[in-house]
Amino acid sequence: CIACGAVLVGAAEGPMVLVAHETRPLLLEIATVLAARGFAPICARDGREAESLLEKHAPPAAVLDVGLGPVLA
């Protein structure tokens, strides 16, 4: 995972998906499941980081925590 530094077993070169969640264990779980299914997750730990990754990578899909704060509210 680019943002959180996690090494995801089975991480794929498939479609990129932004995963944004403030709770690290949930962030890693979601990213791991996506990687195991052929997606290439990029991870954000807060709304500002998610916004930055969206601008930089423009992923076609995202899984977002509804409580990320004012940036994505």
Side-chain angles (χ1 to χ4, degrees):
C1 185
I2 294 170
C4 65
V7 176
L8 300 173
V9 176
E13 303 262 341
M16 189 177 293
V17 177
L18 171 65
V19 181
H21 206 292
E22 292 176 335
T23 305
R24 184 180 168 90
L26 292 174
L27 174 69
L28 295 176
E29 181 69 24
I30 295 165
T32 300
V33 168
L34 288 169
R37 284 162 178 72
F39 294 94
I42 55 171
C43 302
R45 294 167 289 191
D46 59 38
R48 294 195 195 289
E49 193 171 30
E51 185 176 49
S52 174
L53 289 172
L54 280 170
E55 291 174 2
K56 183 176 181 180
H57 298 285
V63 177
L64 306 174
D65 177 7
V66 295
L68 278 177
V71 174
L72 296 177

